[in-house]
Amino acid sequence: MGVMPENRLLLNMAVPMILSMLIQACYNVVDSYFVSKLSQDALNAVSLAFPVQNLMIAVAVGTGVGINALLSRSLGQKDQVRANRTAMNGVLLEGLSGLVFTVLGLTCARLFYTVQTDIPGIVDYGTDYLTIICGASMGIFISVACERLVQATGRTVYAMVIQGVGSIINLVLDPILIFGLGPFPRMEVAGAAVATVAGQIIGGLVGLWLTLTHNPEIQMSVAGLRPSREVIGGIYSVGLPSIIMQSIGSVMVFGMNQILIAFTDTATAVFGIYFKLQSFIFMPVFGLNNGMVPIVAYNYGARKPDRIIKTVKLSMAYAIGIMAVGVLLFQLFPDVFLSLFEAEGEDASDLLAIGVPALRVISCCFLMAGFCIVGSSVFQALGHGVLSLAVSAVRQLVVLLPVGWLLARLGGLAYVWWAFPFADLFATGLSALFLYWVYKKEVAPMRKSA
């Protein structure tokens, strides 16, 4: 972490995480792909569940970001006791979070759908899907915790294994359980949910085994599960802004779905498809960031500012390059991507008429989004997660939703999509300002004292 050339280190850390995140993108897409073959109601049911699934991921990953940052910093400072306590308290927090979502899923799934739509097919399919996804959510929380523990010690290949095991199981089980292949009953949308949670649970078990047996820098014990106010505070000082930041995404999606469904439920299907497709572009950048954060956090703890600066510059260059590929794909082949989600026997003309211009407009802002994503991760790694929260809140709540609502009233559905590049323009300016401030506050003083 402190001596390897920065580009080599970043690639060693990030490439397995990029592959891991691409696997995670498959998780996001596979359910929708197979479910779309049932009907548009089934696709909408899965799409409308996205805010809740995103909220679960926000809590799991946000807590993991805090674990990763505090653990990497402790290892950089050679504080083994604090590192061990961070690992155990992190696992405890992830487990408790999973229990909360289990209770919510078993009690509130139908209510979540009935406040959004009165279409019986969507409500029934969605209730089945969300009850299972949340009711068995412990798998995703444990797997994310274990991924962050191995990432913090530089074993990002193990994180890829954890993701890969879960994704392969999900991919294999999806068509079998959805359509009832072989001796298995036809479960339709519920089958997609069972396949997803089965993959998450088995991935979590593999993660626990790897963490306990192949991660010697961290010594874990049952006694270490005792809560520590100082450690939990340190985890959430970085993680809570990340949780809130990602949760804002759930609010945005929920609000945007309400704007779009007022026009047609096909528009909400397009929005859901977009989020599945864009994950193949955004997830590699998130994987790059997951490789970058422990490097920046470690060298921040070790007081090596030049390594921090070079790592951030390299990450920005790679992120913008990945996003440029995404722009080209979405501009040139939107109809090809949308056709993957056509329901058999249903007219796809509405889906393409709404979806093609939507994908082209939204993808205009991908380059700006890449800059903002890396900037937010830098804030988190240096202990300023609240700045990431500010950028996310301004983009999605202060600008995107109000502008989307206004454009819907002034110009109709075709204009709503322009709210995305408009919001990202604001977010990019704010991210640049905050990066300059963080550099002056945290990095420049280290360079002067070196």
Side-chain angles (χ1 to χ4, degrees), residues 217-447:
E217 284 85 358
I218 303 172
Q219 291 83 50
M220 303 179 71
S221 64
V222 175
L225 285 172
R226 186 176 59 205
S228 165
R229 180 180 300 180
E230 183 232 341
V231 171
I232 292 174
I235 290 173
Y236 280 131
S237 67
V238 175
L240 187 58
S242 178
I243 292 171
I244 297 172
M245 179 180 66
Q246 294 185 70
S247 299
I248 287 171
S250 294
V251 176
M252 182 276 290
V253 172
F254 184 87
M256 190 60 70
N257 278 334
Q258 303 317 298
I259 293 171
L260 295 172
I261 205 168
F263 292 100
T264 169
D265 61 339
T266 303
T268 61
V270 166
F271 191 48
I273 292 170
Y274 159 72
F275 263 99
K276 304 297 182 180
L277 293 173
Q278 60 93 29
S279 63
F280 281 102
I281 309 301
F282 281 71
M283 285 296 188
V285 178
F286 293 142
L288 175 72
N289 284 355
N290 287 341
M292 177 195 73
V293 166
I295 299 173
V296 172
Y298 182 97
N299 285 285
Y300 179 61
R303 310 291 291 178
K304 295 183 177 181
D306 290 339
R307 290 181 64 81
I308 294 173
I309 293 169
K310 189 167 183 180
T311 300
V312 172
K313 287 181 177 179
L314 287 167
S315 299
M316 284 286 187
Y318 286 130
I320 292 173
I322 292 170
M323 287 298 190
V325 174
V327 173
L328 289 175
L329 291 174
F330 273 61
Q331 293 294 322
L332 296 175
F333 308 111
D335 53 337
V336 176
F337 296 137
L338 289 165
S339 65
L340 296 174
F341 298 89
E342 293 175 12
E344 292 182 6
E346 293 190 12
D347 185 6
S349 59
D350 286 347
L351 187 71
L352 293 176
I354 295 172
V356 168
L359 294 188
R360 284 178 172 155
V361 169
I362 298 175
S363 64
C364 291
C365 62
F366 280 4
L367 297 181
M368 293 183 288
F371 176 85
C372 292
I373 292 169
V374 175
S376 291
S377 294
V378 173
F379 304 149
Q380 293 164 3
L382 297 179
H384 292 279
V386 69
L387 299 181
S388 300
L389 171 60
V391 172
S392 183
V394 168
R395 178 188 176 271
Q396 299 185 82
L397 300 185
V398 178
V399 181
L400 180 57
L401 278 182
V403 171
W405 178 86
L406 183 62
L407 291 175
R409 297 299 180 274
L410 296 178
L413 177 59
Y415 286 81
V416 173
W417 313 113
W418 286 101
F420 286 88
F422 190 81
D424 275 303
L425 185 62
F426 273 81
T428 300
L430 198 58
S431 294
L433 179 64
F434 287 163
L435 277 171
Y436 178 76
W437 181 83
V438 168
Y439 170 79
K440 288 294 186 182
K441 180 175 175 59
E442 304 292 352
V443 181
M446 283 194 288
R447 301 189 82 180

Side-chain angles (χ1 to χ4, degrees), residues 2-12 307 310-311 314:
V3 296
M4 184 182 291
E6 292 86 352
N7 189 52
R8 180 182 168 194
L9 177 61
L10 180 61
L11 292 176
N12 285 349
R307 290 181 64 81
K310 189 167 183 180
T311 300
L314 287 167

Side-chain angles (χ1 to χ4, degrees), residues 109-292:
R110 179 167 288 274
L111 176 63
F112 176 77
Y113 279 91
T114 56
V115 300
Q116 298 185 81
T117 180
D118 58 359
I119 300 174
I122 296 178
V123 172
D124 291 340
Y125 275 137
T127 300
D128 292 343
Y129 184 79
L130 200 56
T131 299
I132 296 169
I133 289 292
C134 291
S137 62
M138 188 62 70
I140 190 171
F141 284 93
I142 297 302
S143 64
V144 168
C146 294
E147 286 171 34
R148 296 297 171 160
L149 293 179
V150 295
Q151 287 169 25
T153 59
R155 292 177 171 82
T156 52
V157 172
Y158 291 160
M160 183 179 67
V161 171
I162 296 168
Q163 287 271 9
V165 168
S167 185
I168 291 170
I169 290 170
N170 182 39
L171 179 63
V172 171
L173 290 181
D174 251 331
I176 293 174
L177 298 180
I178 291 172
F179 303 112
L181 302 181
F184 295 91
R186 181 184 174 95
M187 299 177 67
E188 298 194 343
V189 173
V194 172
T196 296
V197 299
Q200 292 169 347
I201 290 169
I202 295 174
L205 293 175
V206 170
L208 281 174
W209 177 74
L210 288 172
T211 301
L212 293 172
T213 61
H214 291 71
N215 206 20
E217 284 85 358
I218 303 172
Q219 291 83 50
M220 303 179 71
S221 64
V222 175
L225 285 172
R226 186 176 59 205
S228 165
R229 180 180 300 180
E230 183 232 341
V231 171
I232 292 174
I235 290 173
Y236 280 131
S237 67
V238 175
L240 187 58
S242 178
I243 292 171
I244 297 172
M245 179 180 66
Q246 294 185 70
S247 299
I248 287 171
S250 294
V251 176
M252 182 276 290
V253 172
F254 184 87
M256 190 60 70
N257 278 334
Q258 303 317 298
I259 293 171
L260 295 172
I261 205 168
F263 292 100
T264 169
D265 61 339
T266 303
T268 61
V270 166
F271 191 48
I273 292 170
Y274 159 72
F275 263 99
K276 304 297 182 180
L277 293 173
Q278 60 93 29
S279 63
F280 281 102
I281 309 301
F282 281 71
M283 285 296 188
V285 178
F286 293 142
L288 175 72
N289 284 355
N290 287 341
M292 177 195 73

Side-chain angles (χ1 to χ4, degrees), residues 13-35:
M13 294 285 288
V15 169
M17 289 311 307
I18 290 172
L19 295 175
S20 176
M21 286 297 178
L22 283 172
I23 293 170
Q24 180 64 41
C26 291
Y27 248 132
N28 295 338
V29 171
V30 166
D31 281 359
S32 292
Y33 171 76
F34 286 115
V35 162

